[in-house]
């Protein structure tokens, strides 16, 4: 095998985006060209080896005519065995996979554009094919065996036409800020946590040392539309990127694993583009938030008899090492501060969610003891379910106050993008570089200066440069830190909170690009409804992927004024659909995900995947088979710290801390558990809320801050270490007035937390979660729409008592999603 002699040129100066596949008896020939049809390359894939992957790239760059002459010569040289035959047109290689017989090549054969970012097109897949590599004469008998066909069928349940997207010239697996600042390119991008075909492409990338022929697939959600405010148009993009690490379905992937990776880990990015003529500099703004399962060792066993299986909390990690690794990863990805918004229930007649609430609070307190004041995890425990019993508008308003506060801590990204970066061609990476002080500054004088929105008081229009062009440019702003939201499933309640954060951010984003005079969007504004539809669609998509049904959108439905009976009926039906998927479909869906991601690789003489026990053993990270699977592939995304064969060990943890302080001896020992049971403020009063939230610096916001803690009364103790709960529950004043007038943070130690109700093996209930929607590699195109739920009457045998109880539950006005 040989690789290209000019890999650096290949990966940085152009990219291929259309391909034609030909075959002879001995080889496949893939011809790739760039968009302008000026550069042509040739890839040769061997068809004579029945079980190995042999790929060679022709290092020559051809013109169209030269490429045609080459194909003609190949045809003439193979006339005795049938010549050269055209197979298909394709738009990129998804990867190669082997079960028990030959290798298969996965190709994108149809695509559709779904959006544009900085002039770079983003595509979805509308059709794909799986082609065996060996010719029919040399294929082994294993190619048509019963198990081989079953593995192929299993892989085909991963539907590439649903919720996968890619771009040839834009690194869609990274946020806009990372793209413009860090400038990573080539193979390193495939190692990131959001590229789902990393395993499938590993073979060809290792052989060729480039990524010319493959596309990096991101799984999650992508939606873009033109909206307007006050007659001015802008382009809004909402992206959700689902992590491939610890990925799976609702009850089979819960909590955290030993490497600090959590289930249902999704990065959400909201991008605003100024609508300007082509060739002109455009203003762009981006904000990122995160959701993920509660980073503790906990699980739920799938049950066909119990729609809410007990929550099982494991006490295997008494020093919260895995939890610490998770937050270290967040700091590495986003910087400080890390703001935790925990929405699970605080008080229950039968402890379920509240078990995790107490233990999560203990974990945060334990980790914070070893961090410096400025790097401590900031948290807010806020029982959303309790507040949904009030009007939905007030719930969104309260969440909006939290969002505005968090946004002032983290800031958001803003810059002016030059015409050079807006071309649909290779980007110049990076656009920014770090100066001697460690701050980002523009690389080529495109932007006059850099502003840290989190702690700088320079106005977005101020400029001290002498260059006339620079006077027309605004300073860049950068996001530092992230808001991390969770409920039990990180679906329904989490999506409502993420919408509130998105709405607060949208006001600032539109203000930064000059489309509004004040940085707020009122809850009653038409634009707020437009954004709500974006987040509602995203929530449904993520819920289908992880939980098997669309999201419970009671708050959104009530906000729209939907008939209450219709909302209850919809919630009830979605609960049944989710239950059916979790009980009957998730095991096979999890198997398909494990094969697609390379977590399980079939081997001759070893048990088949469907002969093994439940995937639940992944949660504990134990068992010989699980260890073998872990060893078959590299799971590192270059972000998680403390990778080792014994990740729960504290051997090296002293050197790896949030914010990089030295880990104290306490972290190496067994975590001491404190005495008082943490409770959450009732925040009882209804409020009227204005969304006016002008830009302000961290210094101004925390003018009266003397420490990281706030004084709380007895009822609200241990709810938050950065937010005044009295301020949150107050009524009358606008959010921004409250921020200016009530930022009276006092240096008061958080009272100790309790594990009175948290014991080894204690069980409780859980709420609903969605599952990864089955995706399949099929030859037919599919519309990217929500699938109709299964026929309950036919498929829910023996559920009459269950249904009756749920009808009573609905009639009693309970919130099904919680």
């Amino acid at each position: 095998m040989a690789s290209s002699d000019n890999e650096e040129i290949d990966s940085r100066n152009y990219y291929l985006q259309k391909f034609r596949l030909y075959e002879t008896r001995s080889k496949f020939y893939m011809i790739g060209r760039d968009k302008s049809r000026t550069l042509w390359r040739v890839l040769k894939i061997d068809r004579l080896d029945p079980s190995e992957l042999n790929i060679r790239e022709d290092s020559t760059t051809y013109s169209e005519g030269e490429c045609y002459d080459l194909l003609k010569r190949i045809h003439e040289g193979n006339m005795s065995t049938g010549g050269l035959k055209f197979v298909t047109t394709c738009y990129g290689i998804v990867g190669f996979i082997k079960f028990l017989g030959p290798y298969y090549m996965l190709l994108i054969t149809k695509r559709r554009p779904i959006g544009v970012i900085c002039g770079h097109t983003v595509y979805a897949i509308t059709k794909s094919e799986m082609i065996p590599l060996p010719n029919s004469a040399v294929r082994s008998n294993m190619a048509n065996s019963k198990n081989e066909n079953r593995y192929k069928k299993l892989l085909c349940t991963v539907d590439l036409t649903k919720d996968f997207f890619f771009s040839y010239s834009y690194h869609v697996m990274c946020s806009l800020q990372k793209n413009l600042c860090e400038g990573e390119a080539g193979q390193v991008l495939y190692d990131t946590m959001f590229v789902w075909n990393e395993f499938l492409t590993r073979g060809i990338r290792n052989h060729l040392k480039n990524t010319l022929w493959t596309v990096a697939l991101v799984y999650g959600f992508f939606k873009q539309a033109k909206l307007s405010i006050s007659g001015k148009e802008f382009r809004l993009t909402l992206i959700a990127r689902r992590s491939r690490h610890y990925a799976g379905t609702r009850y089979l992937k819960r909590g955290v694993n030993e490497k600090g990776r959590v289930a249902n880990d999704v990065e959400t990015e909201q991008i605003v583009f100024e609508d300007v003529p082509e060739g002109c500099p455009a203003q762009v703004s981006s904000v990122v938030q995160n959701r993920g399962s509660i980073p503790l060792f906990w699980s739920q066993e799938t049950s066909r008899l119990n729609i809410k299986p007990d929550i099982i909390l494991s006490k295997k990690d008494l020093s919260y090492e895995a939890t610490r690794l998770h937050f270290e990863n967040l700091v590495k990805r986003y910087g400080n501060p890390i703001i935790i918004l925990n929405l699970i229930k605080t008080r229950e007649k039968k402890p379920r969610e509240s078990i995790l609430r107490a233990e999560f609070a203990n974990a945060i307190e334990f980790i914070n003891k070893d961090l410096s004041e400025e790097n401590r995890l900031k948290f807010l425990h806020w029982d959303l379910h309790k507040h949904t019993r009030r009007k939905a508008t007030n719930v969104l308003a309260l969440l909006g106050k939290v969002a505005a506060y968090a946004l002032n801590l983290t800031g958001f990204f803003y810059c002016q993008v030059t015409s050079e970066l807006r071309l649909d061609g290779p980007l110049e990476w990076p656009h920014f570089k770090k100066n001697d002080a460690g701050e980002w500054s523009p690389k080529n004088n495109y932007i006059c200066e850099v502003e840290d929105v989190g702690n700088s008081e320079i106005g977005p229009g101020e400029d001290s440069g002498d260059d006339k062009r620079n006077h027309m440019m605004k300073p860049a702003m950068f996001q530092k830190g992230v808001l991390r939201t969770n409920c039990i499933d990180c679906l329904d309640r989490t999506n409502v909170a993420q919408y509130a954060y998105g709405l607060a951010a949208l006001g600032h984003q539109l203000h930064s690009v000059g489309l509004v005079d004040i940085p707020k969007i009122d809850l009653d504004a038409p634009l707020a409804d437009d954004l709500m539809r974006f987040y509602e669609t995203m929530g449904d998509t993520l819920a289908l992927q992880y939980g098997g049904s669309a999201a419970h959108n009671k708050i959104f439905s009530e906000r729209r004024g939907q008939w209450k009976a219709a909302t209850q009926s919809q919630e009830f039906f979605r609960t049944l659909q989710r239950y059916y998927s979790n009980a009957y479909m998730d095991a096979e869906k999890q198997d398909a995900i494990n094969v697609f991601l390379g977590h399980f690789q079939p081997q001759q003489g070893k048990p088949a995947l469907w002969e093994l026990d439940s995937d639940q053993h992944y949660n504990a990270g134990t068992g010989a088979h699980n260890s073998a699977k872990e060893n078959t592939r590299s799971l590192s995304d270059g972000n998680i710290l403390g990778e080792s064969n014994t990740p729960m060990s504290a051997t090296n943890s002293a050197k790896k801390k949030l914010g990089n302080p030295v880990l104290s001896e306490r972290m190496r020992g067994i975590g001491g558990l404190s005495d008082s049971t943490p409770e959450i403020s009732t925040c009882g009063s209804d409020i009227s809320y204005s969304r006016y939230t002008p830009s302000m610096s961290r210094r101004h916001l925390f003018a009266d801050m003397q420490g990281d803690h706030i004084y709380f009364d007895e009822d609200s103790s241990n709810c938050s270490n950065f937010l005044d709960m009295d301020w949150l529950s107050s009524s009358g004043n606008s959010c921004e007035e409250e921020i200016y007038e009530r930022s009276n943070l006092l240096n008061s130690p958080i009272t100790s937390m309790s594990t009175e109700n948290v014991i080894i093996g204690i069980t409780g209930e859980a709420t609903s979660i969605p599952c990864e929607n089955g995706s399949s590699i099929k030859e037919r195109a599919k519309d990217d729409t929500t699938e109709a739920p299964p026929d309950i009457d036919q498929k829910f045998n023996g559920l009459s008592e269950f249904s009756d109880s749920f009808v009573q539950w609905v009639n009693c006005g309970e919130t099904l999603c919680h």
Side-chain angles (χ1 to χ4, degrees), residues 547-549 576-587 589 771:
S549 79
L576 291 179
Q577 184 184 359
R578 192 173 291 186
Y579 162 78
Y580 176 80
S581 180
N582 297 161
Y584 296 94
M585 308 293 291
D586 279 3
K589 187 186 294 186
C771 262

Side-chain angles (χ1 to χ4, degrees), residues 314-339:
S314 169
K315 299 292 289 185
K316 60 180 289 184
D317 187 14
L318 296 179
S319 61
Y320 303 111
E321 177 71 5
T323 309
R324 182 186 63 81
L325 284 173
H326 172 67
F327 287 116
E328 282 184 346
N329 174 237
L330 289 181
V331 171
K332 189 170 183 66
R333 285 156 58 188
Y334 306 110
N336 280 311
I338 301 300
I339 305 170

Side-chain angles (χ1 to χ4, degrees), residues 767-779:
T767 61
S768 354
I769 289 191
C771 262
E772 301 229 325
N773 63 4
S775 339
S776 98
I777 304 162
K778 306 224 181 207
E779 297 187 4

Side-chain angles (χ1 to χ4, degrees), residues 27 79 84 152 248 274 287 293 419 491 500 518 636 692 761:
K27 286 184 176 64
M79 287 297 292
L84 183 71
K152 288 192 290 185
E274 181 185 23
V287 67
S293 190
S419 57
L491 296 174
I518 54 176
S636 172
Y692 178 39

Side-chain angles (χ1 to χ4, degrees), residues 31 46 107 112 115 159 163 251 306 323 422 462 502 530 572 598 610 699 733 762 786:
I31 311 300
D46 181 69
L107 299 176
R112 60 184 175 90
D159 190 350
D163 309 327
Y251 288 141
N306 183 4
T323 309
R422 298 183 65 222
E462 297 178 6
D530 293 335
F572 171 62
W610 43 87
R699 179 168 50 203
N733 292 335
I762 195 168
T786 301

Side-chain angles (χ1 to χ4, degrees), residues 248-531:
T249 57
R250 182 187 181 192
Y251 288 141
L252 297 177
K253 284 291 180 285
R254 289 294 217 192
V256 70
N257 68 8
E258 289 90 340
K259 296 185 178 181
R261 294 157 184 155
V262 295
N264 199 19
D265 189 345
V266 181
E267 175 184 275
T268 300
E269 182 178 19
Q270 179 175 294
I271 307 175
V272 170
F273 287 99
E274 181 185 23
D275 193 24
V276 297
E278 186 174 351
C280 297
Q283 299 180 92
V284 59
S285 176
S286 163
V287 67
V288 172
Q289 55 182 318
N290 175 265
R291 70 172 74 187
S293 190
I294 296 172
L296 301 170
F297 288 98
W298 63 281
S299 61
Q300 287 178 283
E301 294 288 346
T302 304
S303 171
R304 296 186 179 183
L305 301 176
N306 183 4
I307 195 168
K308 282 185 148 185
D310 289 341
I311 291 176
I312 303 172
L313 175 62
S314 169
K315 299 292 289 185
K316 60 180 289 184
D317 187 14
L318 296 179
S319 61
Y320 303 111
E321 177 71 5
T323 309
R324 182 186 63 81
L325 284 173
H326 172 67
F327 287 116
E328 282 184 346
N329 174 237
L330 289 181
V331 171
K332 189 170 183 66
R333 285 156 58 188
Y334 306 110
N336 280 311
I338 301 300
I339 305 170
I340 302 162
L341 177 56
N342 178 25
L343 302 174
I344 62 177
K345 296 176 184 177
T346 305
R347 296 176 180 174
E348 300 166 292
K349 292 182 180 178
K350 177 184 177 182
R352 297 175 56 161
E353 295 186 17
S354 54
I355 296 170
L356 297 178
R357 154 70 170 88
E359 185 71 353
F360 194 17
N362 283 328
I364 295 170
E365 182 194 29
F366 186 84
I367 293 170
N368 273 345
K369 288 178 180 178
D370 295 284
L371 297 177
S372 60
E373 288 283 321
E374 65 272 16
N375 290 327
R376 286 180 181 169
L377 303 172
K378 302 183 185 300
F379 63 87
L380 171 62
H381 302 289
W382 196 71
D383 187 344
L384 179 59
H385 177 256
K386 178 176 64 177
H387 292 84
T388 56
R389 299 175 183 177
R390 304 184 178 93
K391 294 181 180 179
T393 301
N394 290 332
V395 170
L396 290 174
L398 286 167
L399 288 170
K401 296 182 77 172
V402 175
Y405 210 109
L407 193 64
N408 272 286
L409 292 176
T410 65
F412 60 95
F413 178 67
Y414 163 85
C415 78
Q416 288 187 272
V417 181
T418 62
S419 57
E420 289 91 337
L421 281 177
R422 298 183 65 222
L423 300 175
D424 191 7
L427 295 181
E428 179 186 349
W429 306 113
H431 194 53
F432 296 93
K433 61 182 179 181
K434 278 193 175 180
N435 57 28
D436 295 337
E439 299 293 335
W440 292 108
S441 60
K443 184 178 179 182
N444 290 317
N445 296 322
Y446 292 142
I447 299 175
C448 59
E449 61 181 279
V450 176
E451 174 187 5
D452 176 0
V453 70
N455 55 25
S456 173
E457 297 185 79
I458 299 174
E462 297 178 6
D463 183 12
S464 59
D466 297 325
D467 185 81
K468 183 176 180 181
R469 180 185 179 188
N470 283 347
H471 275 290
M472 301 172 61
M473 308 294 284
K474 296 179 183 178
M477 300 185 290
F478 297 93
Q479 178 174 341
K480 294 182 178 179
V482 74
L483 174 66
R484 183 201 192 275
T485 306
N486 72 266
C487 49
I488 282 293
D489 298 332
C490 303
L491 296 174
D492 312 318
R493 287 169 283 183
T494 295
N495 204 58
V496 173
Q498 289 206 328
Y499 161 68
Y501 187 76
L503 185 61
L506 183 60
H508 285 273
Q509 290 178 287
L510 293 175
H511 181 253
S512 69
V513 300
L515 294 180
V516 296
D517 295 329
I518 54 176
K520 72 161 188 177
I521 303 296
D522 192 80
L523 272 172
D524 296 321
L527 188 57
D529 291 334
D530 293 335
L531 187 69

